[in-house]
Amino acid sequence: MPRLGVGQQAWRLTVAALVGLPIWLTTLALSRKQPGGPDTWILVGDPLVALGCLTLLVWRRRRPLTVALAVAVVSTASASATGAALLALCSVATRRRPVEIGAVVLAYVIASQLSVGMFPVEGSDDVALWVQVVVPALTAGMAVAAGMAVGARRAEMRSLRERAESAEREQSARAAQARAMERNRIAREMHDVLAHRISLVAMQAGVLDHRRDLPADENRVLVRGIAEGSHQALEELREVLGVLRADPGRPEPPQPSLDRVPDLVADARASGLDVRLTDGVTATPPGGAGRTCYRIVQEALTNAAKHAPGAVVQVTLDGAEGGTLDIRVRNGPAPLRTTRPPASGFGLLGLGERITLAGGELDHRATPDGGYVLTARLPWPDGPAPTHEKSA
């Protein structure tokens, strides 16, 4: 058990001393009626024994059984030490160990019988033996009952505290897991965004390297596209790092959805990719499906820019509420052969994880003419949604 503070220890010992005081005064009054007046033991020895018992009680939490047995036995020789004995019994009972409690109570009752013979007072011979046994047993029982109640209360409080700490640890673990999952999601977002921008920059640089006969105006357009794409990649990287470093309470910026696909296609066209968009979607799908659709188109355009620079890319969107949202991106064979940045190999893998979590299907394969086609199907459940405005 934890150690008590000075104030907690002091008031307990004070109460124990006050409980023994009226018993000592009663014993002193009875001894005055005997021939010769009060005994020296009652006047001097009795208070000294009580003081010694109270001193022993200071160590009752370090050596509960030893202190309780010693005080229970010694206190029977001192009327004023009755309070100390009851406190010792109450203290050992808080541990709620039947063997220890039984040993201390038995020692207390037996020692009380021996003290009756050693320190007789007037009228003690007329008291029946069973009364001499029952009275100390009852007082010991009351002390034990109080100690058991205190012990049960402490156990309940300890259990509640442990449950609260366990719940707090679980909450912290869940929060840490949620942060880790969010960081993983942000890492995938960073791959999608940066890979798209850098692939377009690499494609434009490859065209400059491959086509040395381009007019000056087209060269300036490509160089401007490289500069703007690099600047946008840095801005997007700075935005993602800002999210990673942001405070937990700071809201995350809105993620692009289906309505941003035309802007994505326009950026790809400005970078030199021949992209054609066919949008047959007439309503706005749920936020999760819209964001996943945007990432699918983004990843497909990134791969087309990497592996088929100069090829025609056809993006087809279709679907309706209560059915599915269908995405198809097809590119022809690459007419240009340029040096491309090394592929990470995680783009389609991460895309497959996104679509699986959304409950959709993904298929991607090479076409017989040397091109590539990527198709995805996302569920679009029934529900009210605002009208989708095309901007292509």
Side-chain angles (χ1 to χ4, degrees):
M1 289 185 291
R3 297 179 60 181
L4 294 175
V6 176
Q8 295 174 317
Q9 192 78 269
W11 79 261
R12 286 170 170 80
L13 297 180
T14 301
V15 171
L18 292 176
V19 169
L21 181 61
I23 301 176
W24 177 74
L25 292 175
T26 302
T27 304
L28 181 62
L30 291 175
S31 66
R32 288 181 180 276
K33 297 180 181 181
Q34 294 181 355
D39 191 1
T40 305
W41 171 259
I42 297 177
L43 292 174
V44 180
D46 193 296
L48 290 178
V49 171
L51 181 61
C53 290
L54 292 173
T55 305
L56 278 176
L57 289 177
V58 174
W59 290 277
R60 67 187 182 279
R61 292 204 167 195
R62 295 183 183 179
R63 299 287 187 272
L65 182 58
T66 303
V67 171
L69 285 172
V71 173
V73 172
V74 175
S75 65
T76 55
S78 170
S80 55
T82 303
L86 295 178
L87 179 57
L89 285 167
C90 183
S91 180
V92 79
T94 59
R95 292 158 58 89
R96 299 192 298 172
R97 298 181 181 180
V99 176
E100 293 183 358
I101 296 172
V104 176
V105 171
L106 183 62
Y108 176 74
V109 173
I110 294 175
S112 65
Q113 302 309 304
L114 296 176
S115 67
V116 172
M118 294 174 60
F119 307 100
V121 294
E122 184 180 358
S124 61
D125 295 337
D126 299 331
V127 179
L129 179 62
W130 69 270
V131 175
Q132 297 177 7
V133 173
V134 168
V135 171
L138 284 177
T139 55
M142 289 187 292
V144 168
M148 293 283 286
V150 172
R153 178 62 177 170
R154 288 177 181 172
E156 181 183 3
M157 295 299 296
R158 184 165 53 251
S159 175
L160 293 175
R161 184 165 54 250
E162 290 174 354
R163 288 166 59 183
E165 292 173 354
S166 176
E168 185 176 354
R169 287 193 298 268
E170 291 177 1
Q171 179 66 21
S172 299
R174 285 194 295 269
Q177 184 181 11
R179 286 193 296 269
M181 293 177 63
E182 183 66 11
R183 287 180 181 273
N184 290 336
R185 188 190 66 79
I186 293 174
R188 290 195 296 269
E189 298 288 342
M190 182 165 54
H191 169 272
D192 295 339
V193 171
L194 296 180
H196 176 72
R197 292 293 182 192
I198 293 172
S199 296
L200 294 179
V201 170
M203 184 194 68
Q204 292 170 319
V207 172
L208 281 176
D209 180 65
H210 183 75
R211 296 288 302 276
R212 302 298 177 91
D213 57 342
L214 289 175
D217 292 341
E218 294 185 16
N219 275 336
R220 282 194 296 272
V221 170
L222 289 174
V223 170
R224 189 182 303 112
I226 292 173
E228 292 176 356
S230 301
H231 177 72
Q232 289 175 349
L234 288 175
E235 289 296 325
E236 288 164 349
L237 177 60
R238 188 177 296 112
E239 181 181 349
V240 172
L241 293 178
V243 172
L244 289 172
R245 295 172 179 172
D247 296 332
R250 179 179 175 180
E252 183 181 347
Q255 298 298 317
S257 188
L258 182 64
D259 57 346
R260 295 284 302 278
V261 171
D263 297 335
L264 184 65
V265 171
D267 289 343
R269 287 173 182 161
S271 301
L273 199 63
D274 188 0
V275 187
R276 302 169 187 178
L277 173 63
T278 302
D279 190 352
V281 181
T282 58
T284 300
R291 289 191 295 270
T292 303
C293 175
Y294 179 90
R295 295 306 178 193
I296 291 171
V297 175
Q298 185 183 56
E299 180 63 26
L301 293 179
T302 300
N303 289 338
K306 282 183 180 180
H307 305 292
V312 177
V313 182
Q314 179 66 46
V315 179
T316 304
L317 305 177
D318 197 7
E321 183 181 347
T324 59
L325 176 60
D326 300 323
I327 305 101
R328 186 174 188 270
V329 182
R330 186 186 187 281
N331 63 267
L336 300 176
R337 297 297 176 189
T338 61
T339 303
R340 298 182 298 272
S344 65
F346 295 109
L348 291 176
L349 180 62
L351 198 60
E353 291 179 357
R354 285 176 180 272
I355 296 173
T356 300
L357 289 174
E361 300 174 356
L362 173 68
D363 180 51
H364 51 90
R365 62 186 182 279
T367 59
D369 61 353
Y372 204 82
V373 60
L374 181 148
T375 58
R377 178 171 296 176
L378 302 173
W380 188 341
D382 291 323
T387 304
H388 171 60
E389 298 180 359
K390 301 178 186 177
S391 57

